[in-house]
Amino acid sequence: MTIYTGRGDEGQTDLRTMDRVSKTNPRIEAYGTVDEVNATVGRVRPTGHEDVDEQLRAIQNHLHVVQADLANPEPDADDPQMTHERVEQLEEWMDAHDEELDPLQSFILPGGGDSGARLHHARAVCRRAERRAVALAGEEEINEQTVTYLNRLSDALFTLARVVNQRDGASEEAPDY
């Protein structure tokens, strides 16, 4: 199998259903931006914190499910689909990490140490992916758990950024207004 097919040379690509659509189709924009989130999360690992790295690896696998879900306008029962259980997993991780963190007193500037700053960047890209998924949901029916997952994931990435920064001794800075 070669990596190149030439099928996309005219600006078209295949959905899971094998329907051909423009590469600017909202569905392609949505799962393409999720791919960008996944690559951004991949740039964070390894953080030097085993628990965080394990969670990020699981998140990357979840993001493959989100992409498959978004790429398939007509899923069958056995097709990969985002589930509420994966959303709950993110919530459990955030709840556990929140016990380690001081409560937020204000907004914070994205940044900190290298891993923390990269997690903040991944969070911002995740918010864009969520906006793309919401735009798609406004045009076509999609699995509502994909939007929920992306919304919760941005919160999880924010929490992980705070945890990593705290563990690495990087201080949080409040914005000046």
Side-chain angles (χ1 to χ4, degrees):
M1 178 176 147
T2 62
I3 192 68
Y4 60 91
T5 64
R7 289 184 43 79
D9 292 352
E10 302 293 321
Q12 298 279 308
T13 192
D14 296 319
L15 295 176
R16 175 90 160 87
T17 57
M18 298 311 291
D19 291 337
R20 300 283 292 164
V21 296
S22 169
K23 289 184 177 186
T24 62
N25 179 289
R27 187 171 290 279
I28 307 306
E29 280 291 327
Y31 76 71
T33 308
V34 172
D35 185 34
E36 190 177 349
V37 175
N38 204 340
T40 306
V41 170
R43 285 201 25 87
V44 178
R45 289 181 33 211
T47 64
H49 306 283
E50 188 174 330
D51 60 333
V52 173
D53 290 342
E54 287 174 11
Q55 291 167 5
L56 291 174
R57 185 179 188 289
I59 287 166
Q60 287 191 281
N61 281 291
H62 295 172
L63 288 169
H64 270 278
V65 173
V66 171
Q67 285 181 263
D69 202 346
L70 289 169
N72 193 353
E74 300 170 12
D76 292 327
D78 59 339
D79 287 328
Q81 294 182 32
M82 185 44 59
T83 64
H84 182 69
E85 289 75 25
R86 289 186 175 110
V87 173
E88 287 178 335
Q89 180 68 74
L90 292 176
E91 292 171 348
E92 289 172 15
W93 290 336
M94 283 187 284
D95 291 343
H97 287 305
D98 276 341
E99 293 177 14
E100 186 177 340
L101 294 168
D102 293 331
L104 276 176
Q105 300 298 320
S106 68
F107 288 106
I108 60 172
L109 296 174
D114 189 49
S115 293
R118 288 178 191 220
L119 283 160
H120 278 296
H121 181 213
R123 174 200 48 82
V125 176
C126 186
R127 284 289 186 205
R128 180 162 28 93
E130 179 187 5
R131 291 190 302 271
R132 297 293 191 270
V134 168
L136 175 61
E139 295 182 19
E140 299 181 41
E141 185 174 328
I142 66 168
N143 177 357
E144 65 186 39
Q145 291 302 314
T146 59
V147 173
T148 302
Y149 183 84
L150 291 169
N151 181 47
R152 206 69 82 251
L153 177 58
S154 63
D155 296 334
L157 293 169
F158 177 81
T159 301
L160 290 171
R162 293 190 67 218
V163 164
V164 166
N165 278 336
Q166 178 174 295
R167 290 178 184 177
D168 291 347
S171 63
E172 293 179 336
E173 297 177 290
D176 296 329
Y177 291 102

